[in-house]
Amino acid sequence: MSKFFSVILICIFCSPMLWGQNSIHINGKLNTANHTLQLQQETVFRNTSKDTLYEIVFNDWANSFSSKESALAKRFAENYDRRFHLAQKEYRGATRMQSVADENFQNLKFSRSKGEVDILKVTLKTPLLPGKSAKIRISYEVKIQDARFTRYGVLDDGDYNLRYWFLAPAVYDGKWHGYSNKNLDDLYMSPTDFEISLELPNGMKALSELNQNTENLPDSTHFKAIFTGNDRIQATLYLRQTPNFEFVETGDFKVLTNIYDSKVDPANRAVVIDKVSSYLTQELGPYPFEKLLLSEEDYRENPVYGLNQLPDFISPFPSGFQYELQILKSEVNQFVDNTLLFNPREDRWVSDAIKTYLMMRYVDKHYPKLKVIGNLERYWLLRQYNISTLEFNDQYNLLYLHMARLNLDQSLSTPNDSLIKFNKNIANAYKAGSGLNYLQAYVGENVIDSTITQFYKAERLKATSSSLFEELLRKNTNKNLDWFFDEYVNTRVKIDYKLQRIRKRGDSLYLKIQNKRENTMPIPVYGMNKDSVVSKQWLQGFKGEKEIAINAEGIDRVAINQDGTVPEFNRRNNYKKVNPFLGFHKPVQFKLFQDLENPAKSQVFFMPVFEYNFYDGISLGARMYNKTLLSKAFSYSVEPQFGFKSKAILGSVGLSYTQNIEEGNLYAIRYGISASSQSFAPDAFYNKYSPFMTFAFRTDDFRSDKRQFLTISSINVSRDASEFITNEDPDYNVFNVRYSNSSPGVIDAFSWNTDFQLAKKFSKISATAKYKKVFLNNRQFDFRLFAGTFLYNDTRSDGDFFSFALDRPTDYLFNYNYYGRSESSGLFSQQLIISEGGFKSQLEQPFANEWMATANASTTLYRFLHVYGDVGMYKSLDKDARFVFDSGVRAVLVEDYFELYLPVLSSKGWEIGQPDYDQKIRFIVTLSLRTLLNLFTRKWY
């Protein structure tokens, strides 16, 4: 009898443990004809909070593909990816709900909030009390999306990569964490027990991290694939007609992967995988599951960035190293993500830090002398560049500092969906890992390594947080770590110390050091003799200035952060000699082509340049500049050239200083002066110099491309006498104030600007607005407005040099890249730059010396062919206002960069039937490499 009561008591008190977590049971069938999954899902959700719940929230990320206005669609557009927006409905996924019931088969109400198509809310009939569980039965159909969007979905060959294909209950911890899919791979769900049974066509193989089994069915055309697993946070499936995964049995667990390298044979691939698996098990602890799946799809979404991505035939790294790095990155990601269950949307910096730190330690352990350029360092020519001295792990600091120098860095505590793509994929994870490396150098005694191991042991397969990691780390050291968590993690404040002065008194060196930022992060100070370290000490963080003393014996110079362990914003002010020659603390270094910044030297770079215009012909020269691979506050460029056609010395000079501002919407102020000299007509040259100041503004949302700029400049121009100059005074000065407001985008784009000019003989004001829209039917519409008027104009008797122009502005400020700016006939006269009136036809009387107002529009005709139309009115002194129009076909090869305009009908009549039609065609051609590069980099910033 006593045994009976014991069993009853155990059942009563252990029932919460038996129902201690969620479970999902799915029966389903794949229909390959229409790419659908017919699913019956039974979810047991346990309320682990102290609140009573009246609804249960599910993440329905399969349905995020159903709308071109979903959060996912908007994220694609923000990243300048138009594929989803242009996709037909048959290629987009969806969830079709059929029934929702409770465990008693009573129907339940369900809904989706406006704007959240991938979050499903199920209203309970009976409130769910703390510690209790509810069973939800859902029948639904999933239309599987095409894999072109995220690499997951239906592949071209009929295979399937299935991720986020089922309804995943959201996490509730006082509030619901139901997040929309934004292609960030950050579904948040509690550890769940899965049991999945899918009917698949015979001949198809199913692969997964889950435990697998199969059953034959009476229907000879299908079989049943069964997947089971406990404490899982994902159920990714790969369905293959011809399996391309291989199994590797390591000493710790099985690895299933389709990451291959044709130059690494199967035996060596197995050795690499076992090597990485053993390392992770040693550094973290045992992996709790039997299998670990590493997919090429996941790796390609977030690879290791750097020279290691070069093709094999030009790879500078040891044989098999690229494959090893791919396996390392993939296995670290899966190992940590599957076991340390942080909130991946709002609290992921510790996860990123651990992953990056483990990768850094792996390279330190197995490739301690590897350089970032690999074995290219053996070549004498490359050894002359500072980049050849960069250790492989130094790239983590470098890529974070790239964003910091651009003033685009974001704090480590920034939510994942608020990060710029470059920060999300690269910079923030690298800053986090570098932070642990910095902390390890500061606290010593392998504190970070042991803390990571302890944290993994204590928090494995539990819902955890960065605050628990912080608590453990503080416990493991007696040093104050407030600076790390309060400043390094939670703010954008940079580290920047300056060595101001060295004085030698007796046997000591007295150093005056300034902290240029408002933080208290520690920094190491080195005593050096040539390239050897004589002494090193850590200086506790301080604000303002501080003087310290170090032993002078054997020291010829002092350096702050000499080895670059600290991810410091600017190391160029960290070096001073004890006895400088003529007051120079750093030698000047001259290099051909750009190099990585060398903080111990003053660098000057040279590179050959060439340009072309009709009057100078090809001009060759050399550019002398100081810009390194990382942006600098102060930069200069001196670019003398020789024009082979004009037989003249040409060129340009530019000096600028950028003051970055970290807080507020005003994020940068740029001061500078530029000067240039070129031909503007045959045997006629202009000289221009212009001091300027630009104020740059942005929104609080760093992901937003919205920008505002206010530029104040003074343009001073002097020109040689020429038959092309119609005004009496060829020299002039224009004071210019220009404000621009832009909101670029691949689907919706709107920008506008105002421009005020003041000169001795005229003053004018104008405004321009542009709008672009790509509709859901994939048609594009462009619209532009321009209006301008003279406030006064005493130049009318001298011609139309300063007048408003319908189709080809005279560009008296010399801002446009005309290849033949003074041509009135021939090919170069047909070059089009959309400005002022924006017309494409070359009409009679195209200038206005009083006012002008025009509208330009175009819309899609078929694919890259558009139709355009322009209308406008303008007026000159003593003449009536005139109405004009033109229209035609626009061929968009690369929008705004390579376009053709073929006029059809205008105020001149039916232009196609008029003589010399080929001379009426206009073109836009951009040869600037920097401008073209923006096409590929804009989605990252």
Side-chain angles (χ1 to χ4, degrees):
M1 195 69 173
S2 61
K3 290 183 179 180
F4 176 76
F5 282 110
S6 297
V7 171
I8 294 296
L9 289 172
I10 290 173
C11 290
I12 292 173
F13 287 106
C14 292
S15 59
M17 297 175 60
L18 296 175
W19 294 84
Q21 64 184 36
N22 301 337
S23 67
I24 293 178
H25 186 122
I26 298 175
N27 284 310
K29 183 175 182 178
L30 173 67
N31 186 329
T32 56
N34 55 17
H35 305 306
T36 60
L37 286 166
Q38 187 64 47
L39 303 172
Q40 290 80 43
Q41 177 173 326
E42 183 180 280
T43 302
V44 174
F45 180 88
R46 182 169 186 264
N47 182 5
T48 58
S49 73
K50 297 179 181 180
D51 301 330
T52 298
L53 303 180
Y54 299 91
E55 65 179 9
I56 294 177
V57 175
F58 288 85
N59 294 301
D60 182 12
W61 283 15
N63 204 48
S64 60
F65 295 89
S66 64
S67 170
K68 291 186 179 182
E69 297 180 348
S70 66
L72 178 65
K74 293 176 181 176
R75 180 56 59 118
F76 286 140
E78 289 171 2
N79 290 341
Y80 290 88
D81 186 346
R82 293 174 56 168
R83 288 176 298 177
F84 185 77
H85 191 81
L86 300 177
Q88 298 177 5
K89 186 175 182 179
E90 63 184 282
Y91 296 107
R92 295 186 281 114
T95 302
R96 301 182 182 96
M97 302 298 296
Q98 294 165 344
S99 67
V100 180
D102 60 17
E103 59 185 326
N104 299 316
F105 298 95
Q106 293 183 326
N107 289 334
L108 300 177
K109 294 181 179 180
F110 60 90
S111 63
R112 302 180 191 273
S113 300
K114 185 177 180 180
E116 295 179 327
V117 298
D118 49 5
I119 297 177
L120 181 73
K121 296 179 180 179
V122 176
T123 303
L124 301 173
K125 284 188 177 295
T126 303
L128 184 60
L129 301 176
K132 299 297 181 179
S133 298
K135 183 179 289 186
I136 309 294
R137 305 176 191 272
I138 306 177
S139 294
Y140 59 105
E141 182 183 73
V142 170
K143 174 71 171 69
I144 304 170
Q145 76 280 359
D146 194 278
R148 72 182 72 174
F149 311 123
T150 64
R151 299 192 178 94
Y152 281 86
V154 185
L155 278 66
D156 291 339
D157 59 4
D159 288 344
Y160 296 84
N161 297 332
L162 300 182
R163 181 174 64 173
Y164 311 141
W165 54 276
F166 60 93
L167 295 172
V171 174
Y172 184 87
D173 58 6
K175 68 174 183 177
W176 283 108
H177 294 280
Y179 304 125
S180 287
N181 182 10
K182 296 183 179 179
N183 196 30
L184 300 173
D185 191 20
D186 60 352
L187 179 69
Y188 186 32
M189 63 183 296
S190 299
T192 301
D193 296 343
F194 282 94
E195 184 176 340
I196 301 169
S197 177
L198 282 183
E199 291 185 26
L200 303 174
N202 282 338
M204 182 167 281
K205 303 296 182 183
L207 304 110
S208 171
E209 278 188 340
L210 300 172
N211 302 319
Q212 292 179 235
N213 205 346
T214 60
E215 286 184 10
N216 293 325
L217 295 173
D219 175 8
S220 61
T221 62
H222 287 74
F223 73 99
K224 184 178 290 187
I226 300 172
F227 308 89
T228 59
N230 295 336
D231 296 318
R232 306 303 180 108
I233 58 169
Q234 59 180 334
T236 304
L237 307 178
Y238 297 86
L239 310 180
R240 294 288 185 269
Q241 299 165 84
T242 303
N244 61 340
F245 283 74
E246 63 180 359
F247 273 99
V248 176
E249 187 81 50
T250 74
D252 304 289
F253 45 82
K254 295 177 182 177
V255 172
L256 180 62
T257 182
N258 65 344
I259 299 175
Y260 294 99
D261 186 327
S262 59
K263 293 191 175 182
V264 182
D265 59 59
N268 283 322
R269 290 202 298 266
V271 169
V272 168
I273 291 173
D274 186 68
K275 177 181 175 182
V276 173
S277 301
S278 176
Y279 166 77
L280 291 178
T281 302
Q282 179 182 350
E283 294 297 319
L284 293 174
Y287 186 65
F289 307 120
E290 293 182 12
K291 289 188 294 183
L292 184 68
L293 190 146
L294 313 177
S295 72
E296 181 186 13
E297 289 77 12
D298 283 343
Y299 176 77
R300 287 171 61 192
E301 185 65 26
N302 191 11
V304 180
Y305 296 91
L307 290 180
N308 48 279
Q309 291 183 289
L310 291 173
D312 288 338
F313 68 92
I314 55 174
S315 173
F317 294 100
S319 177
F321 176 75
Q322 288 174 278
Y323 175 76
E324 187 171 348
L325 211 58
Q326 291 174 2
I327 293 297
L328 175 65
K329 178 69 179 283
S330 301
E331 195 162 335
V332 166
N333 282 346
Q334 293 300 313
F335 198 115
V336 172
D337 286 343
N338 290 346
T339 56
L340 295 178
L341 310 182
F342 295 93
N343 181 333
R345 180 68 60 93
E346 298 179 2
D347 188 26
R348 68 177 298 141
W349 79 263
V350 172
S351 175
D352 286 341
I354 291 174
K355 293 174 192 176
T356 306
Y357 183 77
L358 287 171
M359 292 186 63
M360 296 172 73
R361 299 288 286 179
Y362 183 91
V363 172
D364 280 340
K365 179 178 180 179
H366 296 286
Y367 300 93
K369 297 182 180 180
L370 186 66
K371 303 295 184 183
V372 74
I373 64 169
N375 54 27
L376 293 178
E377 64 166 336
R378 67 189 179 197
Y379 295 104
W380 176 86
L381 181 62
L382 289 176
R383 287 202 305 273
Q384 308 313 303
Y385 290 86
N386 190 46
I387 195 171
S388 68
T389 67
L390 198 70
E391 302 289 340
F392 188 84
N393 282 341
D394 290 339
Q395 66 182 306
Y396 295 104
N397 272 356
L398 182 69
L399 289 171
Y400 153 65
L401 288 173
H402 168 65
M403 295 302 280
R405 293 280 187 93
L406 293 175
N407 200 17
L408 288 173
D409 59 305
Q410 295 170 274
S411 72
L412 296 182
S413 56
T414 302
N416 195 37
D417 61 341
S418 297
L419 293 174
I420 298 169
K421 185 174 181 179
F422 193 100
N423 289 335
K424 182 263 175 185
N425 283 22
I426 304 174
N428 270 41
Y430 287 8
K431 179 188 177 183
S434 295
L436 291 188
N437 194 53
Y438 170 22
L439 203 55
Q440 176 62 53
Y442 173 66
V443 299
E445 300 178 351
N446 291 322
V447 168
I448 301 301
D449 299 71
S450 60
T451 298
I452 291 174
T453 303
Q454 294 171 35
F455 185 75
Y456 177 82
K457 183 178 180 180
E459 299 298 321
R460 187 181 66 177
L461 299 181
K462 298 179 182 177
T464 190
S465 66
S466 58
S467 59
L468 293 175
F469 181 80
E470 176 184 347
E471 181 181 327
L472 181 60
L473 186 54
R474 288 181 183 274
K475 182 180 177 181
N476 286 345
T477 180
N478 57 6
K479 292 189 176 181
N480 188 338
L481 301 183
D482 288 350
W483 60 271
F484 182 77
F485 295 102
D486 295 343
E487 297 171 347
Y488 189 88
V489 171
N490 288 316
T491 74
R492 298 179 58 232
V493 67
K494 315 299 188 294
I495 307 170
D496 189 6
Y497 285 86
K498 178 181 180 180
L499 183 54
Q500 289 188 313
R501 186 182 66 216
I502 294 181
R503 287 181 179 173
K504 185 174 182 180
R505 293 203 296 266
D507 59 356
S508 297
L509 292 176
Y510 289 85
L511 317 177
K512 187 176 182 181
I513 299 174
Q514 177 191 9
N515 184 352
K516 300 184 69 177
R517 304 296 176 119
E518 288 294 317
N519 64 64
T520 56
M521 294 187 238
I523 199 80
V525 177
Y526 293 79
M528 308 288 296
N529 189 308
K530 296 182 180 179
D531 293 329
S532 300
V533 176
V534 177
S535 65
K536 173 186 176 181
Q537 70 178 68
W538 277 93
L539 188 62
Q540 298 300 319
F542 62 90
K543 293 184 178 181
E545 298 177 349
K546 186 174 185 178
E547 187 169 81
I548 66 169
I550 63 173
N551 193 323
E553 184 177 355
I555 294 176
D556 64 5
R557 66 185 175 119
V558 175
I560 297 174
N561 190 26
Q562 188 271 339
D563 62 355
T565 299
V566 179
E568 190 179 6
F569 183 79
N570 177 19
R571 293 173 57 208
R572 297 189 305 277
N573 53 16
N574 286 8
Y575 292 80
K576 286 203 180 291
K577 291 184 178 180
V578 177
N579 298 302
F581 177 70
L582 298 177
F584 291 98
H585 290 273
K586 295 194 292 186
V588 178
Q589 182 185 64
F590 296 95
K591 287 286 179 66
L592 183 64
F593 299 117
Q594 199 170 31
D595 190 12
L596 188 68
E597 189 171 279
N598 187 340
K601 296 180 180 179
S602 297
Q603 296 168 294
V604 180
F605 304 109
F606 294 88
M607 67 176 292
V609 294
F610 75 93
E611 292 182 358
Y612 175 82
N613 70 60
F614 185 59
Y615 312 112
D616 295 312
I618 295 176
S619 55
L620 296 179
R623 181 184 176 210
M624 181 178 71
Y625 60 104
N626 72 328
K627 188 177 184 296
T628 63
L629 296 178
L630 291 177
S631 299
K632 289 183 175 182
F634 173 72
S635 63
Y636 65 82
S637 173
V638 180
E639 195 171 304
Q641 300 177 30
F642 178 77
F644 284 87
K645 184 176 180 180
S646 60
K647 308 296 183 184
I649 301 297
L650 318 164
S652 63
V653 177
L655 305 172
S656 70
Y657 177 81
T658 302
Q659 176 188 349
N660 285 329
I661 303 170
E662 294 182 9
E663 301 297 331
N665 299 124
L666 174 62
Y667 71 93
I669 304 175
R670 188 166 178 247
Y671 319 84
I673 185 169
S674 62
S676 61
S677 177
Q678 271 188 340
S679 296
F680 69 91
D683 300 318
F685 298 86
Y686 76 86
N687 297 300
K688 168 188 170 182
Y689 73 90
S690 175
F692 63 89
M693 178 184 297
T694 299
F695 299 86
F697 301 85
R698 64 185 172 200
T699 67
D700 294 331
D701 178 12
F702 276 38
R703 281 193 55 81
S704 172
D705 284 337
K706 293 180 180 178
R707 295 290 186 271
Q708 299 175 65
F709 299 95
L710 176 64
T711 300
I712 304 170
S713 60
S714 175
I715 299 96
N716 302 270
V717 177
S718 63
R719 296 176 294 162
D720 292 346
S722 169
E723 61 180 295
F724 293 92
I725 298 178
T726 57
N727 53 320
E728 294 179 356
D729 187 359
D731 302 336
Y732 51 91
N733 166 265
V734 179
F735 174 73
N736 184 218
V737 179
R738 183 179 181 85
Y739 170 79
S740 61
N741 187 313
S742 66
S743 181
V746 71
I747 306 301
D748 282 285
F750 178 70
S751 64
W752 61 277
N753 66 71
T754 59
D755 188 87
F756 170 73
Q757 297 178 20
L758 176 66
K760 181 179 180 180
K761 292 187 175 182
F762 74 89
S763 178
K764 61 166 66 171
I765 189 169
S766 64
T768 305
K770 299 178 184 178
Y771 176 70
K772 180 181 75 173
K773 172 72 174 178
V774 179
F775 294 97
L776 296 180
N777 63 1
N778 302 332
R779 297 184 68 86
Q780 179 173 318
F781 175 71
D782 296 88
F783 187 68
R784 177 180 179 273
L785 289 174
F786 170 79
T789 184
F790 279 90
L791 302 179
Y792 65 86
N793 187 1
D794 297 332
T795 68
R796 295 183 178 98
S797 60
D798 296 328
D800 287 306
F801 187 61
F802 298 106
S803 297
F804 294 113
L806 276 176
D807 72 283
R808 187 175 167 85
T810 59
D811 188 28
Y812 53 86
L813 298 182
F814 294 94
N815 288 331
Y816 302 142
N817 188 24
Y818 278 125
Y819 303 120
R821 65 176 58 250
S822 298
E823 297 303 293
S824 57
S825 62
L827 178 65
F828 290 113
S829 70
Q830 297 170 240
Q831 182 187 359
L832 179 66
I833 293 177
I834 304 294
S835 183
E836 295 188 2
F839 270 56
K840 289 76 186 180
S841 293
Q842 296 173 312
L843 304 179
E844 297 176 0
Q845 301 179 12
F847 296 102
N849 58 32
E850 278 199 359
W851 56 264
M852 176 180 287
T854 62
N856 320 113
S858 72
T859 189
T860 305
L861 181 65
Y862 177 74
R863 293 189 177 179
F864 66 92
L865 295 178
H866 296 217
V867 291
Y868 72 83
D870 307 313
V871 295
M873 291 191 71
Y874 63 97
K875 186 180 184 307
S876 292
L877 185 66
D878 298 329
K879 294 181 181 180
D880 293 333
R882 186 180 181 193
F883 173 81
V884 289
F885 74 94
D886 71 1
S887 61
V889 176
R890 172 190 178 198
V892 182
L893 306 179
V894 180
E895 189 172 5
D896 297 330
Y897 297 92
F898 297 99
E899 299 185 17
L900 286 177
Y901 290 84
L902 294 84
V904 176
L905 181 66
S906 72
S907 296
K908 295 173 67 176
W910 187 256
E911 293 200 42
I912 292 179
Q914 296 175 2
D916 302 320
Y917 179 76
D918 60 319
Q919 297 179 26
K920 301 176 184 295
I921 297 172
R922 308 298 296 275
F923 65 87
I924 294 175
V925 174
T926 299
L927 300 179
S928 168
L929 183 61
R930 179 178 299 178
T931 303
L932 291 173
L933 192 62
N934 181 59
L935 277 173
F936 305 98
T937 61
R938 58 186 180 177
K939 68 180 181 180
W940 286 91
Y941 300 95

